[in-house]
Amino acid sequence: MASTSVSRIVPASPDEVWSLIGGFDALPDWLPYISESTALEGGRVRRLKSPEGEVIIERLVDFNEAERHYSYAILQGPFPVNGYVSTLRVHAIPGEESAAEVQWSGRFNPDGAAEHEVVDLFTGIYRDGLDALHKTLAA
């Protein structure tokens, strides 16, 4: 099983960051790659659509409001992986009231692609996503 993780310090308190990204259906609010999110099965499944029309279906597998993190599995998508589970987590930074660390990590089995290619793919998605989150919060 392969894995990757990206962290970024963002210019907002952990509570402010979590209020933006903590909703399982909130990706279009901060992630340009996702233009549409539809909640299914009482909010436990999301059907995402990219600006190019690609569809990704994900299931929420863990959610912790108090610790500000959730994990999800990809059920369907354009990625060369199976067994994909990812976690989005917001950490407080000691002594920094108006900043937070956001960590996006995932583990997966490459399927039809080399491990380094899939690791590079998701590292790039996480990095670009956290860069977009930083821009949204800095605006």
Side-chain angles (χ1 to χ4, degrees):
M1 181 161 276
S3 64
T4 188
S5 182
V6 175
S7 293
R8 176 81 193 255
I9 304 295
V10 296
S13 73
D15 288 339
E16 289 173 299
V17 176
W18 185 246
S19 72
L20 175 61
I21 71 172
F24 189 56
D25 201 32
L27 287 180
D29 297 340
W30 61 274
L31 188 62
Y33 178 71
I34 301 300
S35 59
E36 183 181 314
S37 179
T38 304
L40 306 168
E41 295 184 25
R44 303 286 296 175
V45 172
R46 62 186 178 194
R47 182 181 186 275
L48 307 171
K49 196 181 266 190
S50 74
E52 294 78 31
E54 293 175 311
V55 172
I56 305 162
I57 299 176
E58 299 172 338
R59 175 175 297 282
L60 185 64
V61 295
D62 183 47
F63 183 88
N64 188 313
E65 181 80 27
E67 295 181 10
R68 295 186 293 263
H69 66 81
Y70 70 80
S71 299
Y72 62 93
I74 292 179
L75 304 179
Q76 173 190 324
F79 310 112
V81 296
N82 61 56
Y84 177 100
V85 176
S86 183
T87 300
L88 196 55
R89 182 180 306 268
V90 179
H91 298 281
I93 301 172
E96 292 285 332
E97 299 279 323
S98 60
E101 179 183 10
V102 181
Q103 179 185 32
W104 198 351
S105 60
R107 61 186 194 279
F108 38 82
N109 296 307
D111 187 358
E115 181 173 313
H116 72 89
E117 293 173 329
V118 182
V119 168
D120 289 350
L121 170 69
F122 285 107
T123 300
I125 289 171
Y126 300 165
R127 183 189 60 241
D128 293 350
L130 294 182
D131 286 350
L133 175 63
H134 186 278
K135 286 178 190 164
T136 298
L137 291 167

